[in-house]
Amino acid sequence: MNTADLFRNAIHPERRDEPLCDGAVVLRGFALPNETMLLQAIDMVVAQAPFRHLITPGGFRMSVGMSNAGTLGWVSDRRGYRYDPIDPDSGKYWPSMPDIFLRLAGSAAAQAGYAGFVPDACLINRYEPGTRLSLHQDRNERDFDQPIVSVSLGIPAVFLFGGMQRADPQIRVPLGHGDVVVWGGPARLRYHGVLPLKPNHHDALGSSRINLTFRRAG
Ligand code: MD6
Ligand code: FE
């Protein structure tokens, strides 16, 4: 452990780095020092681009509510999954990436060993009790050398983390308010998902969980 980590762990004992596999790590509590600014920034974005339930290419309504910030936003409809600079609901550009988002994503990536990460897309997912995200790979991005930074806020969820094949065994990773997962390198294309959320309460976010996933999409 380096000196910076020693100080960080001494000042924030709730913050720990927990490797998941080669290329992926959970940074427990990493987002907690920025909690208030993050929640304010999320409110600003969703005031301009409200959460909506996208339709999968197969015609199903996703149970996760979604919005985006940045020059590209992840969208799904009957034509497929893609990144688009325009919010299809408003016909306008997605809200720009709040500064606190950029700084948090960059510092989490650096902490995980991916220096120089500058995301151009932040997908904002809102989960309510019963909401789930089925097993998938993130493969709509141009450059798989770029990691993904995922920030969990609000009520806890169980993250399913599998292998390179859909049928590979999965581990279950509980994620709570302020936890950040960074994955890239050899872990970048692993299958993953989120189990249906159990009813719960969080003081800042009530009955919901919000997940921010930062990517270099373009
Ligand atoms: C979620 N996250 O935690 C959904 N994808 O709500 C993802 O799908 C995800 O957390 C790629 C990398 C990290 C993630
Ligand atoms: Fe994903």
Side-chain angles (χ1 to χ4, degrees):
M1 198 181 290
N2 63 36
T3 314
D5 288 342
L6 280 174
F7 278 112
R8 191 166 60 83
N9 290 355
I11 297 166
H12 300 286
E14 72 284 14
R15 292 175 58 171
R16 279 172 288 121
D17 298 355
E18 223 174 88
L20 284 179
C21 67
D22 197 15
V25 62
V26 185
L27 310 175
R28 295 284 179 202
F30 192 90
L32 289 176
N34 298 305
E35 172 184 14
T36 308
M37 287 183 75
L38 276 177
L39 294 175
Q40 284 172 356
I42 292 167
D43 284 344
M44 297 247 309
V45 171
V46 299
Q48 295 169 256
F51 290 112
R52 76 291 305 268
H53 296 273
L54 300 174
I55 305 297
T56 67
F60 295 100
R61 174 187 185 269
M62 295 184 73
S63 64
V64 179
M66 293 184 168
S67 181
N68 288 284
T71 54
L72 288 171
W74 187 87
V75 290
S76 173
D77 60 23
R78 291 306 298 244
R79 290 181 289 152
Y81 306 121
R82 66 187 170 279
Y83 283 96
D84 199 312
I86 304 290
D87 173 353
D89 278 15
S90 68
K92 298 188 203 148
Y93 290 112
W94 293 105
S96 57
M97 183 94 69
D99 214 54
I100 185 67
F101 281 21
L102 272 178
R103 280 188 280 133
L104 176 69
S107 63
Q111 171 71 19
Y114 302 100
F117 178 59
V118 183
D120 57 9
C122 175
L123 173 63
I124 307 177
N125 287 337
R126 186 187 57 194
Y127 297 73
E128 304 289 348
T131 301
R132 63 192 290 267
L133 190 65
S134 51
L135 210 61
H136 66 278
Q137 288 174 300
D138 288 23
R139 54 182 320 145
N140 295 113
E141 300 76 29
R142 191 190 300 269
D143 179 4
F144 296 146
D145 287 342
Q146 296 285 332
I148 295 178
V149 173
S150 165
V151 179
S152 293
L153 297 166
I155 69 171
V158 177
F159 192 59
L160 284 180
F161 190 63
M164 301 297 286
Q165 308 291 329
R166 183 177 287 279
D168 286 345
Q170 299 142 15
I171 58 169
R172 293 177 175 212
V173 184
L175 293 178
H177 184 70
D179 291 346
V180 177
V181 183
V182 181
W183 64 19
R188 179 63 178 73
L189 289 174
R190 280 185 181 248
Y191 277 88
H192 58 279
V194 178
L195 288 182
L197 261 70
K198 296 210 171 99
N200 211 320
H201 174 84
H202 184 272
D203 284 342
L205 286 170
S207 63
S208 51
R209 167 180 188 253
I210 290 183
N211 174 261
L212 310 174
T213 43
F214 294 96
R215 297 158 177 150
R216 183 91 199 169

